[in-house]
Amino acid sequence: MQAILQQAPEHARRAEDLAAALGITGKKKLHSFYVQMSAWASRGRLVKVVPGTYRIAPQPAIDTTP
């Protein structure tokens, strides 16, 4: 899923579309996936743009100063 979101990190994707791309089907599996997406957003791994729509959280810059 991260690979899909990192292709265009500035673009938000619907959880429904991400699930389809990953082959997640069935009511229970979809519900679990949606809950997991929301949990990742709560932890800062994803940004919830609007309900059910996410984009990858910006990665902090790495300081390479010697």
Side-chain angles (χ1 to χ4, degrees):
M1 181 193 65
Q2 278 187 313
I4 295 169
L5 292 172
Q6 287 176 339
Q7 289 174 354
E10 68 282 357
H11 295 308
R13 308 244 196 248
R14 295 181 329 151
E16 178 180 334
D17 296 335
L18 290 167
L22 296 169
I24 299 171
T25 60
K27 193 173 183 176
K28 279 185 156 183
K29 288 181 182 181
L30 284 170
H31 177 72
S32 294
F33 181 71
Y34 298 154
V35 169
Q36 185 62 60
M37 296 281 290
S38 187
W40 285 331
S42 295
R43 293 183 186 117
R45 298 182 82 189
L46 298 174
V47 175
K48 186 183 275 190
V49 179
V50 295
T53 304
Y54 301 87
R55 65 178 172 79
I56 197 152
Q59 301 299 313
I62 298 173
D63 184 5
T64 58
T65 307

